[in-house]
């Protein structure tokens, strides 16, 4: 009897729980999504599309998120149907056209599109929340050390010191300070042959080398160093005769002064490719002649010289 009494006293609480649950279910029921639906009699109507949308969204508890849909179903051909779908929400409107072999197929596709739109619209406020952006900062490579010893190796060219333009190897040792650099360089060039203008079978083979002291002022960025240089040099030229003459070997040492412009690409703290172009004025212009036949060659008043290579910082 005590057990029965306890169950009877619990009935009002159970009834209140059922009423509250039913009321909450009605309050949480998703509002109407389909505002207008036109379809032939043999096709699902707006109520059927509404049910399909709610079945797809069951358990999501997202509601309709203020979205509405309208659709017009038509037969495009004997075996082809289409639905022109219009979706509207606060601040936007979208139109879609779906096709299929039957009106049931295009209606089901429309219900799926509507349900997906409802779901995305309900979750849209989440995307509007401020987020912390993480930006990856790319720092430019540090330029080579602003002070310290350097060594370089490269190719050089010369037009004017020999009868024809020539290429050679150059190397240098230097010292770098902020906005300035000093170098002691040496170059050796490929020998060239020159003949007399009146006798092509008579002439000489010329060998040429030079040493240069260079001082440069530079404007430096994170990637590039560019500036003018002053150049003072010492040259050595040797000629060995050829042809039906009494051949002999003679040599000459001279001085040059000039300038150039040098650019270096600062790819790392230790390596910097460079290019250089400038001109030199020979302070003495050696003349090579064959006795009784005339002059073989004389250095031009201005010599064009440049080069390029790689510079290494050895700090």
């Amino acid at each position: 009897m005590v057990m029965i009494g306890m169950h009877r006293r619990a009935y009002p609480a159970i009834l209140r729980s059922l009423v509250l649950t039913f009321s909450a279910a009605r309050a949480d029921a998703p509002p109407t999504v389909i505002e207008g639906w036109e379809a032939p009699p043999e096709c699902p109507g707006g109520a059927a599309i509404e049910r399909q949308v709610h079945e797809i969204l069951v358990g999501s508890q997202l509601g309709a998120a203020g979205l509405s849909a309208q659709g017009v179903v038509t037969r495009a051909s004997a075996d082809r149907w289409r639905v022109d779908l219009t979706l509207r929400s606060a601040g936007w409107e979208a139109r879609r056209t779906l096709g299929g072999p039957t009106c049931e197929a295009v209606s089901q596709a429309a219900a799926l599109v509507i349900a997906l739109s409802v779901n995305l619209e309900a979750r849209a406020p989440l995307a509007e929340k401020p987020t912390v952006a993480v930006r990856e900062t790319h720092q430019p490579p540090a330029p080579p050390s602003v002070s310290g010893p350097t060594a370089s190796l490269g190719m050089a060219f010369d037009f004017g010191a020999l009868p024809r333009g020539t290429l050679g190897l150059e190397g240098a040792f230097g010292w770098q300070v902020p906005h300035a650099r000093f170098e002691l360089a040496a170059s050796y060039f490929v020998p060239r042959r020159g003949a007399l203008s009146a006798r092509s079978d008579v002439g000489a083979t010329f060998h040429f080398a030079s040493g240069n002291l260079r001082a440069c002022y530079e404007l430096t960025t994170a990637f590039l160093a560019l500036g003018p240089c002053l150049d003072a040099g010492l040259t050595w030229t040797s000629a060995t005769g050829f042809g039906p003459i009494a051949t002999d070997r003679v040599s000459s040492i001279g001085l040059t002064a000039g300038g150039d412009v040098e650019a270096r690409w600062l790819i790392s703290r230790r390596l910097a490719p460079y290019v250089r172009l400038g001109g030199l004025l020979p302070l003495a212009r050696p003349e090579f002649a064959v006795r009784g036949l005339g002059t073989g060659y004389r250095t031009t008043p201005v010599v064009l010289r440049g080069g390029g290579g790689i510079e290494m910082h050895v700090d």
Side-chain angles (χ1 to χ4, degrees), residues 18-298:
L18 291 175
V19 170
L20 291 174
T21 302
F22 179 74
S23 300
R26 288 182 59 87
D28 293 338
T32 301
V33 175
I34 306 299
E35 285 192 348
W37 196 266
E38 300 178 14
E42 65 269 28
C43 297
I49 301 299
E50 187 86 37
R51 286 194 302 270
Q52 292 183 35
V53 171
H54 292 170
E55 290 174 359
I56 295 172
L57 292 174
V58 66
S60 65
Q61 297 181 358
L62 295 175
L67 184 140
S68 64
Q70 294 179 342
V72 178
V73 181
T74 56
R75 183 192 291 269
S77 62
D79 57 351
R80 193 70 180 172
W81 290 78
R82 59 179 286 176
V83 56
D84 296 311
L85 188 62
T86 302
L87 304 173
R88 294 188 180 90
S89 185
W92 64 269
E93 179 178 304
R95 299 179 184 275
R96 299 287 185 271
T97 298
L98 308 174
T102 64
C103 62
E104 287 81 2
V106 297
S107 299
Q108 291 175 3
L112 179 59
V113 170
I114 295 170
L116 291 176
S117 300
V118 169
N119 189 59
L120 291 176
E121 181 69 9
R123 295 180 181 275
L126 297 176
E128 297 172 0
K129 294 182 179 180
T131 57
V132 178
V134 179
R135 296 183 178 180
E136 183 179 358
T137 303
H138 296 276
Q139 295 291 340
S145 175
V146 296
S147 62
T150 65
S152 62
L153 183 65
M155 297 288 295
F157 65 85
D158 182 285
F159 290 94
L162 300 183
R164 291 184 294 146
T166 182
L167 297 175
L169 291 175
E170 68 174 10
F173 293 97
W175 191 270
Q176 175 81 37
V177 297
H179 300 294
R181 54 191 294 104
F182 304 92
E183 287 183 344
L184 180 61
S187 305
Y188 181 79
F189 295 87
V190 176
R192 294 299 188 191
R193 290 167 63 94
L196 299 179
S197 57
R199 295 281 304 271
S200 60
D201 60 335
V202 177
T205 299
F206 294 86
H207 299 259
F208 179 70
S210 69
N212 299 81
L213 180 62
R214 190 177 297 115
C216 304
Y217 173 79
E218 292 184 329
L219 298 175
T220 305
T221 68
F223 300 99
L224 184 67
L226 176 68
C229 302
L230 294 177
D231 191 301
L234 183 68
T235 62
W236 171 81
T237 307
S238 173
T240 302
F242 66 83
I245 58 174
T247 59
D248 194 5
R249 180 170 184 169
V250 295
S251 60
S252 173
I253 295 177
L255 297 175
T256 61
D260 50 50
V261 175
E262 184 176 85
R264 296 183 298 125
W265 181 27
L266 310 179
I267 61 175
S268 73
R269 293 183 60 84
R270 295 190 176 276
L271 296 177
Y274 70 89
V275 291
R276 184 179 63 257
L277 179 63
L280 299 175
L281 300 175
L283 302 183
R285 296 172 58 198
E287 180 179 298
F288 297 89
V290 178
R291 184 176 302 174
L293 295 178
T295 300
Y297 182 73
R298 188 180 184 187

